Amino acid sequence: MTILDEKYARFESQASDVKIPCFERNGRIFDMIISQQLNRPILDDIYRITGRLRSIAKSKAGSVFLQSVLAHKRAMLYFAQPSSRTFLSFHNACHILGMRTSEIRDTSVSSEVKGESFDDSLRTFSSYTDLIIMRHKGQNMAERAAWLLNNFSNRPVPVINGGSGSDQHPTQAILDVYTLQKSFEFQGGLDGKTILMCGDLRRGRTVRSLSYLMKNFNDMKIIYAAPTSFQMKEDVCQFLQRHNIPYRMETEALENALPEADAVYMTRIQDEHDEVAGESNRTNISRFKLRLKDMAIVKASAVIMHPFPRRDEIDVAIDPDPRAIYWAQERNGMWTRAALIAYIFNVHDQIMNY
Ligand code: CP
């Protein structure tokens, strides 16, 4: 164990509420690491910026203006785990704002393969760029990167977590809530709605980050539908209890909970996190898939979501149903991520005033 490992272990052992200020500067978000950092005013700001960005980008003059906003900044996309959406949406979000980008998409092509440590790699990225957007298979690695750069680097650039282990994917939760808010725009917004999350909840970082964001809305109810072995972990359940968010677990079949849901959020089995190969296959998940016939018992006003990639949790025959909003959800990622970057660099007033 290195001296830095020991120091990080001490930091990590603190309660998450204590850690959050480490990712802030002057009361503003600097690093985006965990969903618990986000409150309602910050979310509302990010969504206002998102709407404005989308509207400005419709014209050529608007796009050219947006490309000037962060033309003096460079971003590093360090994706040490596979990704399509998060990588591409961040890549394009940076370009919308005029940022130039560098990327490492596989540690086998970085000097980590020669034995360079994660810590030295991150310091190296911060030498050349002004923002690090990262995905890592390890739990808490984005948090470690932010802690490292904040405390031990003379160039502490912001870090955005694009997915860390089976723990958190906060920018996915930001785009999910944006999608929900837009979908329920004429039904009073997300407040008072019942969100049904289904699939591998134990190891699904999207459902974990989304659950944490529910503290920012009133009268929410959550239903977790999964076999017992894939049910939501105790840490998230305790968080919901602390924030008086009612939840229940459905362990028999998805259809038992479908009629109650305002939003059905499907996820795939995260078997890349199996500790023993083939472990996930031992659980029968056949009753936790959404079939075309199930749509008959889903509310007419409900929405069906999925962070993607999907396997067979949602029958493709459901795609043409207007309640299936997962393709719009995916596209929202690029705009909300551009808004988050503008917010972190404090250039959003320029955008709002354009
Ligand atoms: N939703 C999501 O994180 O997708 P990718 O793994 O393709 O980035």
Side-chain angles (χ1 to χ4, degrees):
M1 199 183 228
T2 65
I3 292 170
L4 276 184
D5 287 335
E6 281 173 26
K7 287 187 175 180
Y8 181 67
R10 280 202 293 278
F11 164 78
E12 207 182 10
S13 65
Q14 296 170 356
S16 59
D17 290 356
V18 179
K19 285 192 245 175
I20 288 168
C22 303
F23 308 131
E24 293 179 356
R25 294 273 168 92
N26 305 320
R28 292 179 48 78
I29 289 201
F30 183 75
D31 305 291
M32 180 68 258
I33 306 298
I34 52 176
S35 280
Q36 297 94 307
Q37 288 175 264
L38 296 159
N39 58 31
R40 186 70 179 263
I42 296 173
L43 285 172
D44 288 344
D45 272 351
I46 291 171
Y47 299 152
R48 268 192 292 273
I49 303 162
T50 304
R52 191 77 189 110
L53 277 170
R54 294 185 94 140
S55 137
I56 294 172
K58 284 189 200 312
S59 74
K60 186 172 177 185
S63 291
V64 169
F65 158 73
L66 289 175
Q67 283 164 29
S68 74
V69 170
L70 286 175
H72 57 305
K73 298 286 183 189
R74 294 180 296 278
M76 171 71 197
L77 287 98
Y78 172 57
F79 276 62
Q81 205 189 23
S83 166
S84 295
R85 276 144 289 272
T86 311
F87 177 84
L88 285 171
S89 60
F90 265 122
H91 196 243
N92 285 289
C94 288
H95 293 177
I96 287 169
L97 298 169
M99 297 183 88
R100 280 156 293 161
T101 51
S102 312
E103 64 189 62
I104 286 178
R105 298 209 61 179
D106 186 339
T107 52
S108 70
V109 295
S110 81
S111 282
E112 284 176 88
V113 81
K114 294 180 263 180
E116 185 165 53
S117 68
F118 172 83
D119 295 351
D120 285 358
S121 297
L122 267 290
R123 283 181 182 182
T124 301
F125 305 153
S126 75
S127 296
Y128 305 131
T129 61
D130 305 294
L131 168 68
I132 295 172
I133 300 161
M134 62 175 280
R135 166 170 289 193
H136 206 283
K137 67 177 186 308
Q139 209 91 332
N140 296 346
M141 292 310 264
E143 180 182 282
R144 180 172 177 124
W147 169 83
L148 177 85
L149 298 180
N150 277 316
N151 291 287
F152 302 100
S153 167
N154 52 11
R155 210 159 177 277
V157 306
V159 174
I160 299 180
N161 181 2
S164 52
S166 56
D167 181 31
Q168 285 254 1
H169 196 351
T171 65
Q172 177 72 44
I174 291 173
L175 81 90
D176 290 340
V177 167
Y178 174 79
T179 306
L180 286 161
Q181 286 280 65
K182 267 180 83 75
S183 301
F184 299 132
E185 198 173 354
F186 302 110
Q187 298 173 57
L190 184 49
D191 295 318
K193 302 296 185 295
T194 297
I195 311 296
L196 167 58
M197 303 186 202
C198 178
D200 189 344
L201 309 174
R202 182 165 66 92
R203 302 173 298 184
R205 56 194 176 198
T206 64
V207 282
R208 290 174 56 79
S209 287
L210 183 58
S211 297
Y212 285 126
L213 275 198
M214 293 301 109
K215 77 167 166 44
N216 298 300
F217 297 88
N218 300 320
D219 305 320
M220 298 300 305
K221 192 173 153 203
I222 297 178
I223 307 171
Y224 291 129
T228 307
S229 57
F230 288 130
Q231 266 298 347
M232 185 54 83
K233 279 188 186 166
E234 191 57 27
D235 57 344
V236 172
C237 296
Q238 284 175 4
F239 177 90
L240 297 178
Q241 285 161 20
R242 281 202 302 280
H243 289 273
N244 298 316
I245 300 169
Y247 69 93
R248 76 171 171 84
M249 291 181 175
E250 169 56 51
T251 55
E252 198 181 308
L254 171 62
E255 67 190 64
N256 293 345
L258 279 176
E260 286 172 70
D262 296 299
V264 181
Y265 191 99
M266 300 297 297
T267 62
R268 73 178 167 88
I269 298 304
Q270 312 280 317
D271 44 17
E272 66 269 38
H273 297 297
D274 278 1
E275 281 163 22
V276 179
E279 174 190 343
S280 296
N281 298 334
R282 289 194 216 120
T283 302
N284 180 0
I285 51 158
S286 57
R287 300 200 69 189
F288 294 90
K289 295 179 182 186
L290 192 64
R291 301 284 159 241
L292 189 58
K293 69 176 172 51
D294 296 324
M295 294 305 284
I297 57 167
V298 172
K299 286 182 189 175
S301 58
V303 292
I304 311 295
M305 297 173 66
H306 196 306
F308 283 171
R310 81 171 143 181
R311 290 178 182 163
D312 63 351
E313 318 70 53
I314 300 181
D315 191 330
V316 290
I318 293 171
D319 289 9
D321 189 306
R323 291 169 290 182
I325 58 165
Y326 24 87
W327 293 106
Q329 175 190 1
E330 178 182 76
R331 187 162 166 75
N332 290 340
M334 179 176 72
W335 296 107
T336 51
R337 285 170 172 139
L340 174 67
I341 293 169
Y343 182 85
I344 286 175
F345 282 104
N346 206 6
V347 292
H348 50 286
D349 282 348
Q350 282 178 53
I351 295 168
M352 297 307 289
N353 295 331
Y354 173 73

